């Protein structure tokens, strides 16, 4: 089987698994799955800048936010059709990413990381304080939903095929990009900048493309998020969310599309699992006030951090490394 | 004879230290040109100036008669200047084939959207690049290792992959920084064969090397650097007999280096 056939089989299997999940899951679990898929999209985007190209990016939530806000505001305030507002939001995010990437990608290491945090903070402040346009802390409500197209089906169920299709198409694109001249150039730049330029790869061009690609894909996640939930607020796109995206990528296995998928799904479900564990512990006779119940219930983020730490220590290639342990390189 | 590379008074200063001091030389097509000298003589710095990794403080570099003094390294590679590194710099997260493919299309581009929208045209271009990489790998007898990752390979093989990567796209001149360092004797024999092939194919080759028997046997011309200055240049026999070179680098028959 050729590589592309193998990839197609995997995508088909993932599609079938998602269809089964759609048929069996209900309510909140289904909502979580939808949100997990949107996180998968944002993290695959981040993988291009950070995983492949080594551009330490702590501002991915800003690009998710640009996608969400631009499309939401165009459709709510100007009454545009979401079929128009969604692509325009992607173009805006792409243009913004291109403009900021030129100065940003000249920076290295910690300076670059801090600058991306700066971009995120600035956009978050604009969303909070430009009240006339963004409604400030109150956020944007009444955003037309994609699921309104299928009013007879519960929105969670109706959105799953949309999120699944978007994710699977993106995974296909990401795998194809990984094996393209651009994918090789990005990985070469992260592995050894000096060697990369010496074999004819333009550092600036490669980094700018990787960063802009991350931004546009992140915005794609944001656009879908806005038109899924119908409500967005600045806190959805804070720096903490960017850090979470980066954690998802690192836990899943950086520089790997499969890793991005595993990390995003695992870290979306994990905190919810911790909450359920607390409820189970209390139901099985544990006191609501003892340390374990409190840790599971209120301190789930601490446990979640601990599990993340353990994964990082035990699996330097992330969750993807569990599957592709034997290979010397990285998972696809 | 066609001059491929020429430097005029090429100089690099780091603060008060003059690492390369007004070095002028020229290398012809099909010429085996070696640069020798003691450690710290400025050989690697000179190569970094030639390949655009460092800007010179003064002086000029001409490639195929064109001034390229401040060109970026990736632009220079496109113009035909290929190089390898002293400590072997492959891309560890790419396979051997991908490493060579990464070096097989300098300056060539495809639009991002073409990867998805015009798949047939794009895949054909990729096949061309893979074909170039295959030819380079076969030339160095590395085709069987194409799916290996760098860290699975012995050091000597890694050096050869690096040479294949440097030669995967058209080159007029190749700069090799100590390719024999760390090789075992079998690997060294293979390297000498590769070096001779390159010379016979009409490529200008600039070699930095400490292995004197290799340099003396292979080179058409040798330049000797000492404290950044060119102290001699000529055929191997002339250089070997030059008293300044003996004093600075080669040492006398009784073994003083």
């Amino acid at each position: 089987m050729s590589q592309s056939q193998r990839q197609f089989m995997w995508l088909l299997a993932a599609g079938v698994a998602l269809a089964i999940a759609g048929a069996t899951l209900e309510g909140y679990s289904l909502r979580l799955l939808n949100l997990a898929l949107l996180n998968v999209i944002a993290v695959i985007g981040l993988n291009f800048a950070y995983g492949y190209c080594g551009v330490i990016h702590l501002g991915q939530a800003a690009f998710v936010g640009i996608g969400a806000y631009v499309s939401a505001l165009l459709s709510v305030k100007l009454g545009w059709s979401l079929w128009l507002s969604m692509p325009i939001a992607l173009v805006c995010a792409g243009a913004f990413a291109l403009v900021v990437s030129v100065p940003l990608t000249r920076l290295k290491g910690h300076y670059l990381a801090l600058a991306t945090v700066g971009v995120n903070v600035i956009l978050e402040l604009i969303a909070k304080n430009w009240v006339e346009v963004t409604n400030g802390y109150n956020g944007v409500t009444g955003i037309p939903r994609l699921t309104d197209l299928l009013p007879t089906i519960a929105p969670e169920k109706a959105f799953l095929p949309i999120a699944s299709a978007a994710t699977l198409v993106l995974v296909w694109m990401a795998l194809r990009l990984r094996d393209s001249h651009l994918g090789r150039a990005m990985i070469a730049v992260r592995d050894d900048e000096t060697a990369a330029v010496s074999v004819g790869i333009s550092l600036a061009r490669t980094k700018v493309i990787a960063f802009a690609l991350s931004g546009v894909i992140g915005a794609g996640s944001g656009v879908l998020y806005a038109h899924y939930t119908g409500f967005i607020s600045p806190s959805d796109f804070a720096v903490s969310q960017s850090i979470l995206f980066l954690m998802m990528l690192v836990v899943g296995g950086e520089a790997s599309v499969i890793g991005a998928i595993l990390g995003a799904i695992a870290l979306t479900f994990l905190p919810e699992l911790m909450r359920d564990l607390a409820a189970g512990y209390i139901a099985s006779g544990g006191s609501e006030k003892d340390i374990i119940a409190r840790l599971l219930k209120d301190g789930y983020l601490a446990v979640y951090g601990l599990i993340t730490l353990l994964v990082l220590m035990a699996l330097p290639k992330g969750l993807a490394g569990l599957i592709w342990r034997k290979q010397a390189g990285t998972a696809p | 004879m066609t001059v491929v590379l020429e430097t005029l008074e090429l100089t690099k200063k780091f603060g008060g230290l003059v690492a390369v001091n007004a070095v002028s030389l020229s290398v012809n097509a099909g010429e085996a040109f070696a640069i020798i000298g003691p450690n710290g003589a400025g050989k690697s710095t000179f190569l970094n100036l030639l390949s655009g990794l460092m800007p010179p403080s003064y002086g000029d570099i001409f490639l195929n008669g064109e001034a390229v003094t401040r060109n970026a390294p990736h632009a220079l590679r496109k113009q035909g200047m290929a190089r390898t590194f002293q400590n072997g710099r492959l891309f560890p997260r790419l396979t051997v084939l991908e490493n060579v493919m990464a070096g097989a299309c300098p300056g060539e581009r495809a639009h991002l959207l073409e990867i998805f929208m015009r798949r047939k045209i794009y895949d054909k271009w990729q096949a061309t690049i893979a074909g170039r990489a295959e030819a380079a790998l076969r030339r160095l007898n590395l085709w069987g290792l194409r799916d290996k990752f760098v860290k699975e390979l012995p050091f000597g093989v890694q050096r050869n992959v690096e040479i294949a990567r440097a030669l995967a796209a058209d080159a007029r001149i190749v700069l090799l920084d100590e390719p024999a360092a760390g090789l075992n004797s079998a690997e060294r024999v293979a390297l000498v064969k590769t070096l001779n092939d390159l010379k016979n194919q009409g490529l200008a080759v600039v070699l930095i090397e400490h292995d004197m028997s290799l340099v003396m046997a292979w080179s058409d011309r040798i330049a000797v650097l000492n404290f950044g200055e060119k102290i001699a240049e000529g055929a191997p026999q002339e250089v070997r007999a030059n008293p300044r070179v003996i004093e600075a680098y080669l040492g006398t028959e009784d073994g003083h280096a």
Side-chain angles (χ1 to χ4, degrees):
Chain A
M1 215 178 344
S2 78
Q3 193 171 3
S4 57
Q5 281 171 321
R6 205 161 48 236
Q7 286 173 359
F8 181 77
M9 296 304 287
W10 274 105
L11 289 177
L12 198 69
V16 170
L18 285 167
I20 294 171
T24 52
L25 293 177
E26 292 287 341
Y28 191 61
S29 315
L30 205 50
R31 184 181 170 79
L32 272 181
L33 181 60
N34 283 329
L35 293 176
L37 289 175
L38 297 182
N39 284 338
V40 166
I41 295 175
V43 177
I44 287 179
L46 181 62
N47 187 41
F48 284 107
Y50 177 64
Y52 288 158
C53 211
V55 177
I56 303 174
H57 191 349
L58 280 167
Q60 179 69 340
F63 293 91
V64 178
I66 291 174
Y69 263 93
V70 171
S71 191
L73 291 173
L74 287 177
S75 54
V76 171
K77 296 231 165 177
L78 302 179
W80 289 16
S81 151
L82 48 82
W83 302 116
L84 195 61
S85 69
M86 291 200 301
I88 287 179
L90 295 187
V91 172
C92 287
F96 180 74
L98 274 179
V99 170
V100 296
S101 69
V102 174
L104 277 187
T105 52
R106 284 165 185 256
L107 302 173
K108 284 190 197 306
H110 303 75
Y111 300 97
L112 172 60
L114 281 176
T116 57
V117 171
V119 169
N120 206 145
V121 169
I122 289 168
L123 289 179
E124 196 185 330
L125 286 174
I126 291 174
K128 282 176 178 167
N129 293 297
W130 198 10
V131 182
E132 303 80 33
V133 175
T134 63
N135 293 353
Y137 285 87
N138 294 329
V140 185
T141 50
I143 305 167
R145 294 169 195 241
L146 281 162
T147 48
D148 293 344
L149 300 167
L150 298 161
T152 53
I153 305 173
E156 264 66 45
K157 266 209 158 61
F159 189 71
L160 185 66
I162 300 171
S164 303
T167 309
L168 292 178
V169 169
L170 178 66
V171 169
W172 172 77
M173 289 173 74
L175 289 173
R176 203 170 152 75
L177 248 166
R178 158 63 183 82
D179 290 332
S180 73
H181 71 294
L182 280 173
R184 286 190 296 273
M186 286 175 197
I187 294 175
V189 164
R190 179 172 173 179
D191 277 352
D192 192 329
E193 288 195 0
T194 305
V197 285
S198 299
V199 300
I201 294 167
S202 160
L203 280 191
R205 195 180 125 83
T206 307
K207 286 184 178 179
V208 164
I209 290 175
F211 193 83
L213 209 57
S214 279
V216 173
I217 297 171
S221 168
V223 163
L224 291 173
Y225 178 78
H227 294 290
Y228 169 52
T229 60
F231 167 71
I232 53 172
S233 73
S235 60
D236 296 337
F237 314 109
V239 173
S240 56
Q241 185 62 35
S242 290
I243 293 171
L244 190 58
F245 286 141
L246 194 66
M247 268 171 74
M248 288 173 174
L249 182 56
V250 174
V251 167
E254 55 187 76
S256 149
V257 177
I258 309 289
I261 297 169
L262 294 177
I265 292 177
L267 293 201
T268 308
F269 280 94
L270 195 59
E272 306 305 325
L273 217 63
M274 300 307 302
R275 267 196 269 232
D276 290 349
L277 276 179
Y281 178 76
I282 292 161
S284 66
S287 160
E288 203 168 320
K289 286 188 177 153
D290 77 17
I291 177 85
I292 298 172
R294 273 164 46 204
L295 200 63
L296 286 172
K297 201 172 162 200
D298 303 324
Y300 68 91
L301 276 177
V303 178
Y304 168 65
L306 191 68
I307 292 174
T308 309
L309 193 68
L310 289 175
V311 168
L312 290 182
M313 285 165 69
L315 302 167
K317 285 183 189 170
L319 297 173
L322 276 177
I323 307 172
W324 279 269
R325 189 179 284 253
K326 283 185 189 150
Q327 209 170 324
T330 45
Chain B
M1 242 189 276
T2 329
V3 176
V4 176
L5 176 77
E6 193 175 8
T7 67
L8 284 179
E9 307 273 310
L10 203 60
T11 302
K12 180 68 185 177
K13 290 184 178 180
F14 296 107
L17 176 83
V18 186
V20 175
N21 193 357
V23 174
S24 299
L25 50 80
S26 70
V27 185
N28 301 318
E31 187 171 36
F33 192 96
I35 299 174
I36 61 172
N39 287 328
K43 305 184 296 293
S44 285
T45 305
F46 185 67
L47 229 56
N48 288 340
L49 296 177
L50 293 183
S51 55
L53 289 175
M54 284 175 188
S57 308
Y58 331 103
D60 286 301
I61 305 166
F62 298 89
L63 183 63
N64 305 318
E66 204 180 315
V68 296
T69 311
R70 298 202 178 261
N71 287 16
H74 66 273
L76 279 168
R77 178 63 192 88
K78 188 180 159 191
Q79 290 168 295
M81 177 107 72
R83 73 164 292 174
T84 66
F85 291 88
Q86 192 178 345
N87 40 6
R89 303 181 84 147
L90 291 168
F91 308 122
R93 294 185 303 156
L94 296 177
T95 62
V96 166
L97 179 63
E98 286 180 318
N99 258 282
V100 180
M101 282 176 80
C105 53
E108 291 175 47
R109 286 179 188 183
H111 200 278
L112 177 64
L113 290 179
E114 277 185 74
I115 300 172
F116 315 111
M117 316 284 268
R118 300 171 71 191
R119 294 200 297 282
K120 277 198 175 148
I121 297 175
Y122 183 80
D123 289 346
K124 209 171 157 187
W125 180 54
Q126 287 294 284
T128 315
I129 295 173
R132 285 178 211 158
E134 180 179 346
L137 284 170
R138 284 192 189 281
R139 195 154 134 187
L140 288 143
N141 283 327
L142 295 166
W143 180 240
L145 301 173
R146 61 189 174 280
D147 293 327
K148 296 265 185 223
F149 284 89
V150 173
K151 67 177 173 194
E152 300 173 273
L153 303 175
F155 185 67
V157 179
Q158 290 184 24
R159 306 301 301 263
N160 276 336
V161 174
E162 213 194 341
I163 295 176
R165 186 179 67 184
L167 299 173
D170 283 339
R172 300 291 304 273
I173 181 164
V174 55
L175 317 174
L176 303 171
D177 197 351
E178 297 197 27
L183 298 194
N184 63 33
S185 55
E187 288 165 347
R188 192 177 165 281
V189 170
L191 175 72
V192 172
K193 186 184 170 298
T194 308
L195 289 175
N196 286 329
D197 286 351
L198 296 178
K199 187 164 77 168
N200 296 336
Q201 281 157 11
L203 226 71
V205 187
V206 176
L207 174 77
I208 291 184
E209 190 49 71
H210 280 296
D211 183 333
M212 273 313 111
S213 58
L214 192 157
V215 168
M216 291 297 167
W218 172 79
S219 315
D220 298 323
R221 214 142 49 93
I222 299 173
V224 187
L225 295 188
N226 192 29
F227 293 111
E229 258 179 88
K230 186 173 86 176
I231 57 169
E233 186 184 333
Q237 307 85 320
E238 292 166 37
V239 166
R240 201 203 300 261
N242 185 314
R244 281 188 78 190
V245 178
I246 293 170
E247 187 194 347
Y249 183 54
L250 294 179
T252 49
E253 286 293 317
D254 55 12
H256 293 291

